[in-house]
Amino acid sequence: MKSNERRDNTIFVSALTGAGLDELLARVDAVMPVDPLVRLNLRIPISDGRHLSLVHACGRVLHSEVSDGHMNLEAELPESLARRLEDFVFPPAEASH
């Protein structure tokens, strides 16, 4: 293939002018999975280092305090991680009847 022929998954971008950058970013957004951030209040036992470290490593802790052997956290987390931590959401969601 010659360098001036265009392939379907090729996008040319100019480092000098930025031409083609918008098209590249749009293509990246189209093929990348999205994991939106959600804000949660969590209550995790201090002894549960595994889940506490997940919150700190993968999310952004906005506020934290220790109370009765638990770490109360307000954090922004990827939705996929939030689903894994649903047992720690505080206050617990009301069960639908």
Side-chain angles (χ1 to χ4, degrees), residues 18-83:
L21 189 57
D22 288 338
E23 183 181 354
L24 173 64
L25 293 174
R27 183 81 59 91
V28 169
D29 286 343
V31 297
M32 294 292 292
V34 176
D35 197 357
L37 293 178
V38 295
R39 184 179 283 202
L40 292 175
N41 292 312
L42 302 166
R43 183 171 168 83
I44 303 174
I46 292 174
S47 61
D48 190 345
R50 179 173 175 251
H51 288 110
L52 287 171
S53 66
L54 271 174
V55 171
H56 285 278
C58 300
R60 184 170 73 127
V61 175
L62 304 171
H63 178 76
S64 65
E65 66 182 40
V66 176
S67 174
D68 298 325
H70 289 80
M71 181 70 73
N72 297 328
L73 302 161
E74 179 183 358
E76 289 181 338
L77 304 165
E79 190 174 55
S80 60
L81 178 57
R83 284 192 296 270

Side-chain angles (χ1 to χ4, degrees), residues 3-14:
S3 62
N4 62 351
E5 292 181 25
R6 186 171 176 112
R7 292 180 268 165
D8 286 337
N9 60 353
T10 301
I11 298 173
F12 294 98
V13 177
S14 169

